[in-house]
Amino acid sequence: MSEPLTGVEAGDRRSDEAWVADLAGDGEARERAVGELRVVLLGGLRRALRNGRGLEDAALEDVVQESVMRILAKLDTYAGRSRFTTWAMSVAVHRAMSELRHRRWKDVSLDRAADDSDFQPERAVDDGLGPDAAAEQKAVLEAMRTIIDRDLTDRQRQALLASIGGMPLEEIARKMNSNRNALYKLTFDARKKLKDGLEQSGFAADDVRSIFAF
Amino acid sequence: MPLSRDQIHSLLREVCGTCPDEMTCECCLDEISRFVEQIAAGGRDLCETLRAVEQHIAICPECREEYEVLRLAIEELRGPGGPCSS
């Protein structure tokens, strides 16, 4: 029986088709493939999440283990549009980032993240502008404030302001007993109302970009 | 806590960049591995689906962050001495 491949050797020798076939199979070939996949995912996450962004080793091992389970469960969804290792890594990255976000935000309430008084237009006018330019910026921001107060539903307002305040959609969703896709749709609808409302107030998107020099 | 000037400007940018039909996070993440590889290969002739991914990560900070981390992870894996180096 040959020695199991190391992570370096595994990556060099294993084609996408071989990954899928071995992981979908059983016995020694599957075990070897699972072991090699674990090495690839752990190595990638360790390198990408260093410099203060990371999870400690024990947590990374847990994330990789959960990711391997997830990859095995959805193996039939791999369509070959990217390399298998890239696809698998995307699953692991999503799991790792979800864990990091939850750790950072789990004790922060939605109320603390955003409330109606948080949007203060006067804070966003650029310093050092002439009076006309400053007045234009203030007009846009006042229009935004009006639309936020008048046209957004309570849930849209809360989700949008919490999101802009830095809370991840996944965490907002958790606190609203919803899911990330539904929260994205909620904030998308809010942004559309804001965009439409600004246009009706005389500020098309290109105008706003020009006024704020985006 | 009041939103900072940068945060309010970020909201304005996102509002200005809002498109009538946007991809959801789930669809974006389904295509993110293909997007990372195409960008890494220098490809700018993106198909419609990958242009939608590009638009989504310009608006969605979480998907943008996952794109950046995935890009780093793949660069390291495929770089010299990495476990998937060619």
Side-chain angles (χ1 to χ4, degrees), chain B residues 31-42:
Chain B
E31 299 290 343
I32 202 75
S33 54
R34 180 160 67 127
F35 182 76
V36 162
E37 286 188 349
Q38 186 143 350
I39 297 296

Side-chain angles (χ1 to χ4, degrees), chain A residues 61-71 91 95 99:
Chain A
E61 298 266 1
D62 286 345
V63 162
V64 165
Q65 178 60 20
E66 288 162 21
S67 300
V68 168
M69 301 297 292
R70 182 98 184 103
I71 288 160
V91 174
R95 190 64 204 86
E99 175 63 21

Side-chain angles (χ1 to χ4, degrees), chain B residues 1-15:
Chain B
M1 191 189 312
L3 295 176
S4 67
R5 187 170 75 184
D6 285 348
Q7 286 170 329
I8 293 173
H9 284 194
S10 177
L11 174 58
L12 276 172
R13 277 195 203 90
E14 288 184 19
V15 167

Side-chain angles (χ1 to χ4, degrees), chain A residues 12 85-86 169 181 184 195, chain B residues 22 26 37 62 78 85:
Chain A
D12 285 348
T85 44
T86 311
L169 288 183
N181 270 344
Y184 187 82
K195 188 174 184 183
Chain B
E22 290 185 1
E26 186 178 357
E37 286 188 349
E62 279 148 79
R78 303 240 156 87
S85 57

Side-chain angles (χ1 to χ4, degrees), chain A residues 32-176:
Chain A
R32 186 172 301 179
V34 168
E36 287 164 6
L37 181 60
R38 208 174 268 133
V39 169
V40 168
L41 297 181
L42 199 55
L45 286 181
R46 270 207 185 109
R47 291 171 176 90
L49 294 179
R50 59 186 173 202
N51 299 329
R53 194 172 12 189
L55 294 165
E56 67 278 9
D57 268 1
L60 264 183
E61 298 266 1
D62 286 345
V63 162
V64 165
Q65 178 60 20
E66 288 162 21
S67 300
V68 168
M69 301 297 292
R70 182 98 184 103
I71 288 160
L72 292 175
K74 56 188 275 184
L75 201 57
D76 59 346
T77 69
Y78 170 64
R81 292 193 296 268
S82 65
R83 290 184 62 176
F84 180 81
T85 44
T86 311
W87 176 80
M89 187 61 68
S90 72
V91 174
V93 164
H94 178 64
R95 190 64 204 86
M97 297 312 294
S98 293
E99 175 63 21
L100 277 168
R101 287 168 192 140
H102 184 57
R103 283 180 173 206
R104 162 72 181 86
W105 291 94
K106 63 183 166 71
D107 295 324
V108 179
S109 72
L110 200 49
D111 290 338
R112 192 180 129 196
D115 70 48
D116 287 350
S117 65
D118 277 355
F119 186 87
Q120 298 173 11
E122 61 277 9
R123 294 178 72 90
V125 177
D126 287 329
D127 298 330
L129 289 178
D132 290 346
E136 270 193 317
Q137 287 196 356
K138 195 155 178 281
V140 171
L141 294 164
E142 292 288 354
M144 274 266 275
R145 177 79 220 214
T146 300
I147 300 161
I148 288 172
D149 288 346
R150 182 190 66 206
D151 296 345
L152 300 192
T153 65
D154 288 345
R155 276 174 75 86
Q156 285 172 343
R157 189 181 308 116
Q158 190 177 41
L160 188 71
L161 294 180
S163 172
I164 293 299
M167 184 177 276
L169 288 183
E170 206 164 330
E171 289 305 305
I172 299 171
R174 204 188 299 264
K175 295 172 200 305
M176 284 185 163

